[in-house]
Amino acid sequence: MLNSDINVDLHIHSRASSYKEPAGLLESCGEENVDVLLGRLNDCEINVFSITDHNRFDASLYRTFRGAINEGKYANVKCIMPGVEFNVAFDDRHPDCHVIAIFDTKDSDGNLDAIATAIGSRLLGKKDVYPIAEFEQLLREIGLATILIAHQQQGLLNDGTKPRSLSSSTEDAISFIKYGYIDSLEYNKPRVQGILLSEMKDLGLKGSTIAGSDCHDWAAYPARKSGEEPRADYKSRIRALPTFKGLALSLSSPETRFDQPPIRCRDCFVRTLTVGNQVVEFSPGVNAVIGENGVGKSSLLELLTSEKPVKHVGDIQKKNGIFFDKKLQGERVEYIKQGGLQSKHENREKKDGGIFASSFFPDVDNSAFEAAVRAYTNEMIRRVEKNIKYKLDKEKLKEVSVRLNVDLEGDTYYFQISVPEDFTEIDNPHSEHERSLKLISDTLAGELASQYYAANQAESEALLEAKDLIDRVLHEVREKSTEVELERKIKNGISAAAQNYKTNLFGTQTAADQEKNSYRDAKNSVISSIGAVVGDVCEGARQGDIPCIHLPDECGARETLKKGFRFLTKTVYADDPSVENSLLDSVMTTGFKTPAELLLIDTAADAEKAIKSHKAGSWRDRWLECMEDFIVAQERTTRTISVNRNQHVGSTLGEMSLAYFQYRAGSNADIDVLIADQPEDNISNQRIHSYLIDFFNQMRGKKQIIFVTHNPLLVVNQDVDNVIVLEEGPGETIEVNSGCLESGDILDKVAEIMDGGREAVERRLRAYGKVD
């Protein structure tokens, strides 16, 4: 398990480099001085080092160092890695490059001797170099897994010619990095490292950078020699075991191994798993649980998160003696069960359904839309009613007549009351505006009652002034509306009283009085009809343009911005350029689908034909019912997610799952532990490699991550801190093993158990040859 770091310096010289250096410089750097260097390395907390002489290899020196380290006197120094600094000519038209080769000798004396024998003293002169073909042949003769580190003292794209640098030795330096020939670049200044990292990111190169002291005087370590200041960066801090395999894995995944923040094991993290007599540790970082199907991986997560597991899981616990040092529960722990995201996605139309809960998406305020649609509909109905009334009034005017008769103008014995037919038909044009103003006033009152504006006196006073102005207008409109309603009540009372009076007179009048009353009714009917037609004509002249629906900008859509995500709720009408056309198309039949066609209606029969609905009731009621159905349909919402406002997240299960892990990667304060059973489900290998691994890496060091997986990319390429391997033991019991990728046989287990595991391991380590 990777819980700590090691410091590495792979660039130290010994007396064997003397043939290329000034006389006497390396005189005190031989076998008799091993303790001097080890003491300095120990003081500087160097855990892994290498003696990399110029084109030479001293096997005896390595044995002496190894023996001294094994004595345990230098607690910080863990191992020495065999290496050589070669002068390599990549292109005979350019200067040579210094290339450090680190070999995997597996602590074999025979392999040490093989390196020394193969190299010998082939290069004698100070300026002698290996042409690239001879260099490659030499590595084949040595026959060991090898890491190649090229010097780079400037940016890769720099036009300068810094000596010994890869970019100065070939015009194709980028390809040597891109295709894995060179495993890492050694820099000499922090500024150069920054340039290299930036360039490699821009070029899409997955390369690493490493520092070294280039020490030529062991007593002066970490300085290059006595009297000089040490390099600002003379060592590299990596998260790895102090082995060749650990170094190889670090160089192939620098983003997870180099200069990582300290791992802090928090009280809320699980630390140990006990299976029978076996105890394995969890990393505070990324833990992958692997094993054959049916071995109990999902059951392990259930036992970790549930106080009362289902029966078959409880049986597995009893049979194997499975215990954790703590249960992971509560709102600071997120557990995604196998198929959990799929189930949420399939139920996304239900309340609070979907991978992202409904609470992520804001509600849309449809009040402006509803008010506009209802106002438009009421206005269109009013105009159609006026058209019908106008036609009826004209027809009635044709039908009524009276011949003036002075003899019938006289008084009757009883006082006569005549009430026009439309006496009580009074419109109240103020009531709708009264309701609208009351809503505005109440809204402002609610704002003032909140504490939002308490700290800003100017805003609070402005709101108070606005409410006062609205209330004044509301008072005026309410008085007008009240007057109309009072007039309606009074006239209605008068009409009822007049009708009652006429009923009481019936049978008490003389024939002469009845004739006079009939005459007066006929005359009043003519007068009323003329007045009605004149009124209709005057009102028609005042109606103005055909109405339309105007909605505020962005009406029908709302968004919430959260941790780089945009959660958008949008109604159907939000994207409708002409709501009134859609409304009429939904409500009206062919021939009545435009305002102009609709306003030609002047009979109740045409109005009946115009409405699509066949429900019972008047045409007006059916029109209003259709309008309400239209409102419901238009207020249906769709929810979409975007990243950084412009990168739309697709609606497929794979895309939504990936987006969910991306959201979790950006919300490090929400939870402490993420547990997932097969997070790779429904996500393609390409997207796992390109995105999901990065999302988990963003959470690394901030959350404890535990997942069960069958995908080797999430183990090998993810470069997990800890692999927990479950295997079937005797009597259907569970055997457990754990460690980081470079621990023991963990990589072998990944290769054996996981589909595609061998290929994933080989791809990662291919550049170094066979690494056991």
Side-chain angles (χ1 to χ4, degrees), residues 86-98:
F86 291 101
N87 290 73
V88 181
F90 287 94
D91 187 330
D92 57 14
R93 297 170 299 176
H94 296 278
D96 63 290
C97 176
H98 284 203

Side-chain angles (χ1 to χ4, degrees), residues 613-624:
S613 172
H614 297 291
K615 296 179 181 179
S618 68
W619 64 266
R620 187 182 191 282
D621 291 340
R622 292 190 293 113
W623 190 341
L624 291 173

